[in-house]
Amino acid sequence: SKARRLLESWLRMSCNSKDELAEIQKLFSAAVFRQPGCKTLDSAFEDIAMNLIKPCATQSSSERLGVYREQYWYRAYDSLADDFPSLVKVLGAEVFENFVSAYLDRFKSSSYTLRDLGQQLPQFCLDYPAFSTEQKELIFQIASFEWAEIVAFDSAVVDDFDASTLSTVDGTRLHLSLKPNLTLLSLSWAIDEFVQKTLCVEKCAETARLNRNVEHSPICYPRRETNFVVVYRHEQSVFY
């Protein structure tokens, strides 16, 4: 198989070993990105596992590789649930899990940081076939708001605009733009109010669960209201 040939060649430390190692890493990633769903692993996954992973006394090659695969999916799901808590609130845990599975199946992780994992999620809300037209717009707006919070929190620091410098600038070459941590949103629901309430409710619910093992709060929806929101960072805090 391709996996076996690459591994044997790399172990011989040929002149192209770095390229072959990169290919092995791609094969490993391809295996990890395959969604776990049934105990019977597909043949491609098993082929990669048998040729790249040694079995141990208690686990086969497929089972050992399966540990990495399952942990990737669990961690990716938890990360997106943490980044989009209001989306979880509106969809419910089961629908959100199915939604995230479909999203990750299309948009594989390609960044070193989980911060970037949800970058395409707002647009995916409009493409997800299980949602009605109105649901898509609501989910899109909630996801856009929560992604704007992420952008505001950790975008690059840019110096404040100094109006006194305008007299020294050629007006024909002047280009003004918003800071990268600032996002303008046009909304059809009171998403900002809903996000704030969700945060407060979840904090109280988490405390209750820790003390009495109370179930998650029920699904709810924001109220209809046309508004325009600015999400931005000021002195290391996010405001809107």
Side-chain angles (χ1 to χ4, degrees):
S1 69
K2 181 180 179 181
R4 178 178 291 279
R5 292 196 304 273
L6 282 169
L7 184 59
E8 290 176 347
S9 178
W10 180 68
L11 289 175
R12 290 195 299 269
M13 298 299 291
S14 68
C15 60
N16 297 319
S17 60
K18 289 184 179 179
D19 292 337
E20 287 157 1
L21 176 58
E23 286 298 316
I24 291 172
Q25 291 172 330
K26 288 180 182 179
L27 286 170
F28 189 91
S29 297
V32 169
F33 288 155
R34 292 177 184 272
Q35 288 199 39
C38 61
K39 293 183 179 180
T40 304
L41 301 175
D42 60 86
S43 59
F45 181 89
E46 291 185 345
D47 182 60
I48 294 172
M50 288 187 296
N51 290 293
L52 294 184
I53 307 294
K54 286 185 176 182
C56 65
T58 58
Q59 289 182 312
S60 67
S61 298
S62 295
E63 288 172 333
R64 295 189 72 186
L65 185 55
V67 171
Y68 289 94
R69 178 173 68 168
E70 289 183 358
Q71 290 307 308
Y72 162 75
W73 283 92
Y74 290 149
R75 186 68 187 94
Y77 173 85
D78 287 345
S79 177
L80 290 173
D82 289 342
D83 286 344
F84 298 91
S86 297
L87 210 55
V88 180
K89 186 74 172 177
V90 165
L91 296 177
E94 184 176 350
V95 174
F96 182 78
E97 183 175 355
N98 293 334
F99 171 69
V100 164
S101 294
Y103 172 72
L104 292 174
D105 197 40
R106 179 184 295 186
F107 297 101
K108 307 292 191 296
S109 177
S110 59
S111 172
Y112 72 95
T113 171
L114 283 172
R115 178 268 189 200
D116 298 332
L117 190 60
Q119 187 171 8
Q120 305 297 329
L121 194 138
Q123 181 58 43
F124 185 72
C125 293
L126 299 176
D127 300 333
Y128 191 55
F131 295 154
S132 67
T133 301
E134 184 172 2
Q135 281 179 316
K136 287 180 179 180
E137 185 59 31
L138 171 59
I139 301 306
F140 167 74
Q141 292 191 18
I142 293 174
S144 296
F145 187 97
E146 295 193 303
W147 177 251
E149 289 186 298
I150 295 171
V151 170
F153 181 76
D154 59 8
S155 288
V157 176
V158 177
D159 294 334
D160 292 335
F161 174 67
D162 184 359
S164 65
T165 63
L166 284 176
S167 59
T168 63
V169 177
D170 181 357
T172 62
R173 298 183 177 182
L174 181 64
H175 176 72
L176 300 177
S177 62
L178 298 174
K179 287 188 174 183
N181 66 46
L182 189 150
T183 303
L184 302 175
L185 297 171
S186 176
L187 306 173
S188 304
W189 287 266
I191 305 297
D192 52 337
E193 173 189 87
F194 179 73
V195 167
Q196 187 63 35
K197 286 183 177 179
T198 298
L199 180 62
C200 294
V201 168
E202 286 304 308
K203 284 183 177 179
C204 295
E206 180 61 26
T207 301
R209 284 193 295 271
L210 290 173
N211 293 334
R212 299 188 299 274
N213 196 28
V214 177
E215 295 294 327
H216 286 274
S217 51
I219 297 171
C220 63
Y221 301 93
R223 60 185 176 84
R224 274 279 192 177
E225 179 183 86
T226 300
N227 60 4
F228 304 93
V229 179
V230 178
V231 185
Y232 65 99
R233 182 181 70 233
H234 178 64
E235 295 183 350
Q236 309 306 314
S237 295
V238 175
F239 296 90
Y240 45 84

